[in-house]
C-alpha cells in the first residue's frame, strides 16, 4: 500500500497563481500531468495542440523542446512528465506524488522511469501506426478538447502530420511488432509492481499516473484492449483514469497480435 506520509512534510506554501498546461488530445503523459494537477488541487488552464503543429507553438512560447506535456507556472517553463511531477511536488507538496521514505521513493521512481521511457514509446508507436492507416479515429481523441479548428478539418488534414510524427518516433513495422511482442512482459511487470504495493495504493503516486495513462491509451485500441482490461494492470488503469477519450477499431494485422494470445488476460 502507498501510505500517505503527511506528518513529515513542511507546511504548504501559497500555491501558484498562473498555470497553463500545453498538451495534445489523447497524449498519455499530457493526461498524467493533468491528473497530477487535479490530485494536487492546482487550478490551471489548458492549451490543446495538434500533433506536429505543437512543435511550432511550443517554440513560439519559448519552450526549449518541442514535446508535450509542457507547463508554464508563474512564468517558469517545465517540460516532460517526470520533470513536471517534481516541480508540482516542489510547489505544492500536499497531497504527495512521492513517498517520503527514500527506499519507497526509489522503487516508485524506477517504475515511473519505465513508464516514461519504455511503455510510453511502445504504445505511442502502435497508436501512430494505427492512425497512419486511418486518421478518422483522431476525432474521438479530440472529444472535449479545444484544438482551435473544427475536428473534421483536423482529421482531413492530419495525414502528413501523423506521418511526420510517426517518423519522428521511429514508427516502423519492425518497431510496432516489437512493441506488441513486448507488451505481455510489460503487463506482467506492472502486475508484479501492483502485487508488491509499489503501484495501486489508495491515492495514486507519480508512477500510477505514468503507467495508468499509458495503459488507458493502449486500451483505446480495440486490438490491444482485450489483452489488458481484465488483469490487475487494466483494473488499475480504469481506476486511476476512469475517463480517457479515443477509440481505434481493429486495424493491426492479426499476425502481429499473435504474441498477445498467450497473455493470461487475453481470453484466447
Ligand atoms: N517522455 C516524454 C514524452 C514526450 C512526448 O513524446 N510527447 C508526445 C505526445 S505523447 C509529443 O509531444 N508529441 C509531439 C507530436 O505529436 O507532435 C514525457 O513523458 O514527457
Amino acid at each position: 500500500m502507498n501510505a500517505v506520509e503527511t506528518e513529515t512534510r513542511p507546511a504548504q506554501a501559497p500555491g501558484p497563481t498562473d498555470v497553463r498546461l500545453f498538451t495534445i488530445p489523447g497524449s498519455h503523459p499530457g493526461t498524467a500531468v493533468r491528473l497530477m494537477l487535479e490530485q494536487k488541487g492546482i487550478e490551471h488552464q489548458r492549451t490543446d495542440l495538434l500533433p506536429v503543429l505543437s512543435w511550432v507553438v511550443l517554440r513560439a512560447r519559448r519552450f526549449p523542446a518541442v514535446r508535450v506535456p509542457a507547463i508554464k507556472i508563474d512564468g517558469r517553463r517545465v517540460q516532460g512528465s517526470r520533470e513536471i511531477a517534481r516541480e508540482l511536488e516542489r510547489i505544492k507538496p500536499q497531497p504527495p506524488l512521492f513517498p517520503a521514505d527514500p527506499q519507497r521513493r526509489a522503487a516508485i521512481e524506477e517504475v515511473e522511469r519505465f513508464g516514461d521511457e519504455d511503455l510510453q514509446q511502445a504504445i505511442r508507436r502502435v497508436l501512430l501506426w494505427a492512425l497512419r492507416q486511418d486518421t478518422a479515429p483522431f476525432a474521438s481523441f479530440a472529444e472535449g478538447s479545444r484544438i482551435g479548428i473544427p475536428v473534421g478539418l483536423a482529421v482531413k488534414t492530419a495525414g502528413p502530420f501523423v506521418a511526420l510524427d510517426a517518423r519522428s518516433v521511429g514508427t516502423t513495422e519492425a518497431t510496432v511488432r516489437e512493441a506488441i511482442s513486448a507488451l505481455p512482459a510489460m503487463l506482467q511487470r506492472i502486475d508484479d509492481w501492483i502485487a508488491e504495493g509499489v503501484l495501486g495504493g489508495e491515492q495514486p503516486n507519480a508512477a500510477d499516473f505514468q503507467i495508468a495513462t499509458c495503459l488507458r491509451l493502449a486500451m483505446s485500441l480495440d486490438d490491444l484492449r482485450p489483452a489488458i482490461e481484465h488483469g490487475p494492470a487494466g483494473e488499475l488503469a480504469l481506476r486511476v483514469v476512469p475517463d480517457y477519450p479515443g477509440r481505434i477499431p481493429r486495424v493491426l494485422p492479426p499476425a502481429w497480435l499473435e504474441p498477445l494470445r498467450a497473455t493470461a488476460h487475453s481470453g484466447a
Side-chain angles (χ1 to χ4, degrees):
M1 291 289 289
N2 292 327
V4 182
E5 285 120 336
T6 48
E7 65 284 359
T8 55
R9 302 280 168 157
Q12 201 91 303
T17 53
D18 184 15
V19 180
R20 179 168 291 274
L21 169 65
F22 296 84
T23 186
I24 289 175
S27 163
H28 33 343
T31 306
V33 168
R34 179 176 60 75
L35 293 173
M36 291 183 214
L37 285 162
E38 284 174 10
Q39 176 161 293
K40 283 194 175 284
I42 300 176
E43 276 186 40
H44 61 281
Q45 310 291 312
R46 199 176 83 215
T47 299
D48 295 314
L49 303 169
L50 286 167
V52 176
L53 292 175
S54 56
W55 304 355
V56 180
V57 175
L58 291 170
R59 282 294 191 212
R61 298 282 193 137
R62 291 187 287 118
F63 280 97
V66 294
R67 312 302 287 183
V68 300
I71 200 165
K72 209 170 155 199
I73 304 175
D74 289 338
R76 292 188 312 287
R77 293 168 179 78
V78 186
Q79 258 172 309
S81 53
R82 279 194 288 170
E83 291 77 2
I84 295 171
R86 280 149 190 77
E87 179 63 8
L88 299 185
E89 193 78 340
R90 192 185 69 75
I91 59 171
K92 194 158 191 273
Q94 296 296 334
L97 291 166
F98 300 94
D101 175 69
Q103 241 179 321
R104 285 182 39 72
R105 179 169 180 139
I108 285 166
E109 287 186 329
E110 177 50 26
V111 181
E112 192 197 18
R113 187 212 57 74
F114 160 82
D116 181 357
E117 293 175 11
D118 302 339
L119 185 60
Q120 253 190 35
Q121 187 76 328
I123 305 304
R124 185 177 287 117
R125 284 175 172 156
V126 181
L127 175 92
L128 288 171
W129 190 91
L131 287 176
R132 280 209 68 181
Q133 313 314 302
D134 180 11
T135 52
F138 179 76
S140 64
F141 289 92
E143 201 181 281
S145 54
R146 280 158 299 184
I147 49 176
I149 58 167
V151 172
L153 179 62
V155 168
K156 266 200 206 113
T157 54
F161 297 112
V162 171
L164 187 55
D165 202 7
R167 216 173 20 250
S168 79
V169 297
T171 304
T172 63
E173 174 178 336
T175 58
V176 171
R177 294 190 75 164
E178 193 182 306
I180 295 167
S181 300
L183 193 57
M186 288 184 167
L187 290 171
Q188 186 57 57
R189 286 185 82 182
I190 296 166
D191 289 354
D192 292 345
W193 283 318
I194 293 169
E196 290 161 17
V198 180
L199 290 173
E202 202 175 311
Q203 180 171 274
N205 60 44
D208 284 306
F209 287 124
Q210 187 70 247
I211 298 293
T213 49
C214 290
L215 294 173
R216 286 299 264 126
L217 180 59
M219 288 161 77
S220 70
L221 286 128
D222 284 358
D223 283 311
L224 302 187
R225 189 175 175 114
I228 303 170
E229 67 182 337
H230 299 299
E235 284 161 16
L236 172 79
L238 289 165
R239 178 166 72 77
V240 174
V241 197
D243 302 309
Y244 200 103
R247 176 151 187 205
I248 304 191
R250 287 186 179 277
V251 60
L252 291 160
W256 296 14
L257 298 171
E258 240 358 271
L260 301 184
R261 292 197 207 294
T263 63
H265 318 301
S266 68

